[in-house]
Amino acid sequence: MAAHNTNSLGTFLKDRRTRLDPAAFGLSGRRRTPGLRREEVAQRANISPTWYTWLEQGRGGAPSADVLNRIAESLLLTEPEREHLFLLGLGRLPEVRYKSVEGVSPRLQRLLDSLDASPALIKTAAWDVVAWNRAAVIVLTDYSTLPADQRNILRLLFCNPAIREKQHDWEAVARFAVGAFRADAARAGAISEVSELVEELCAASPDFEALWKENDVRAHGEGLKHLRHPKLGVIDLEYSAFSVDGRPDLSLMIYNPVSSLMAQRIRSLIKTGEVQPDEMAT
């Protein structure tokens, strides 16, 4: 009976190497085996061919994160494949790489739109809103009327008097938002990317500057939000935050009305532009 292969890293590297088409890299000539040669991968990764050979053979000890990143690039690995490479080579995930976002996939937008009475949005690690549904327009903010660079939750919360007025307890909301924002930015590896936004908000809002200097960190998870709406009155919403698989820089926020009556009134306002009277709701 054959022994179990414990060289998972080497097996994975060899498999991905042999899947590559040499012609795509400008390499020609007849080959006895498919894919790139070991020395070609090593050259693309700027590492020693001997060292790369040892990795495939399960020798030479654990590679560094820098080496694994260069190998991942040389093998044209996808992000999930790169993560798997790190788990095999170092027993941990790679450090997060922040990616700027321009919109979301149609599938994610359809998910938002399916929530007819629950305001829902997708935000980046910088708390820029990049997608939302009709219920969010009615209950929270009509993001479509704002320039793209102004669709930021913190800018609205600290610099927009109308948004501030809608919060039932603005101070508590603001304190929580700053702490959760700090945690989100760090988790997504976006601290340097949000530094300009932080400086801008510190200059524009003494309240933000004071809260930022407290260095508080909060988990966004779930909770209860209270809003004062000009047509719906006081709204109680249960909110939950979800990460988007494969995108640590994106979060899905869903706000569910606590009351079924309020949910029905939100649907009515979306459909007709008028609030259904309480006595007509069942």
Side-chain angles (χ1 to χ4, degrees):
M1 187 173 181
H4 179 67
N5 180 14
T6 59
N7 182 22
S8 300
L9 173 62
T11 301
F12 182 71
L13 289 173
K14 182 178 180 181
D15 177 78
R16 291 308 184 271
R17 174 172 62 81
T18 57
R19 292 188 186 195
L20 296 176
D21 181 7
F25 300 90
L27 302 172
S28 58
R30 298 186 63 180
R31 294 173 179 246
R32 292 180 298 174
T33 57
L36 298 186
R37 299 186 178 100
R38 287 171 175 167
E39 58 268 24
E40 291 168 341
V41 174
Q43 183 178 21
R44 285 176 49 80
N46 194 27
I47 60 176
S48 162
T50 301
W51 173 236
Y52 180 78
T53 299
W54 285 354
L55 285 179
E56 282 202 5
Q57 295 175 345
R59 300 190 294 156
S64 68
D66 178 60
V67 166
L68 288 181
N69 273 322
R70 281 185 275 156
I71 291 175
E73 292 176 2
S74 70
L75 293 175
L76 304 181
L77 298 187
T78 64
E79 190 61 25
E81 289 172 336
R82 174 174 167 264
E83 291 180 353
H84 187 65
L85 177 67
F86 266 72
L87 288 172
L88 294 177
L90 294 177
R92 63 170 176 81
L93 291 173
E95 292 183 5
V96 177
R97 293 175 171 177
Y98 180 68
K99 301 176 182 179
S100 59
V101 181
E102 294 183 4
V104 299
S105 68
R107 179 173 295 185
L108 275 177
Q109 186 61 58
R110 288 193 294 270
L111 172 63
L112 297 180
D113 294 339
S114 70
L115 303 168
D116 63 338
S118 298
L121 56 86
I122 293 176
K123 64 178 180 62
T124 70
W127 282 36
D128 291 321
V129 177
V130 293
W132 56 90
N133 63 1
R134 183 60 180 163
V137 170
I138 294 297
V139 176
L140 302 176
T141 302
D142 188 353
Y143 299 101
S144 65
T145 65
L146 301 173
D149 62 351
Q150 294 301 310
R151 295 170 188 164
N152 181 275
I153 295 174
L154 292 175
R155 282 197 183 100
L156 294 171
L157 185 61
F158 285 92
C159 303
N160 188 310
I163 297 299
R164 180 167 182 157
E165 181 62 28
K166 288 179 71 172
Q167 310 306 313
H168 188 263
D169 185 348
W170 181 88
E171 184 175 349
V173 171
R175 184 177 299 278
F176 176 82
V178 172
F181 165 73
R182 186 190 300 274
D184 283 354
R187 186 180 302 111
I191 291 296
S192 60
E193 284 77 7
V194 303
S195 60
E196 186 175 337
L197 172 63
V198 170
E199 291 177 5
E200 174 193 328
L201 290 172
C202 284
S205 170
D207 291 320
F208 178 86
E209 182 179 28
L211 291 173
W212 184 254
K213 288 181 177 179
E214 291 183 6
N215 288 300
D216 197 11
V217 178
R218 303 289 183 94
H220 209 166
E222 57 186 24
L224 190 63
K225 186 176 184 65
H226 310 281
L227 289 177
R228 287 191 288 260
H229 193 275
K231 291 186 176 181
L232 296 169
V234 177
I235 309 175
D236 296 326
L237 301 163
E238 293 177 332
Y239 68 81
S240 299
F242 304 90
S243 60
V244 178
D245 189 32
R247 294 300 305 272
D249 53 317
L250 293 180
S251 296
L252 167 63
M253 297 293 304
I254 300 178
Y255 299 85
N256 285 315
V258 173
S259 163
S260 59
L261 169 61
M262 182 57 69
Q264 188 166 342
R265 298 179 74 198
I266 291 173
R267 293 189 186 97
S268 176
L269 190 57
I270 292 173
K271 185 176 181 180
T272 67
E274 298 179 358
V275 181
Q276 182 174 344
D278 290 0
E279 60 270 18
M280 294 179 62
T282 58

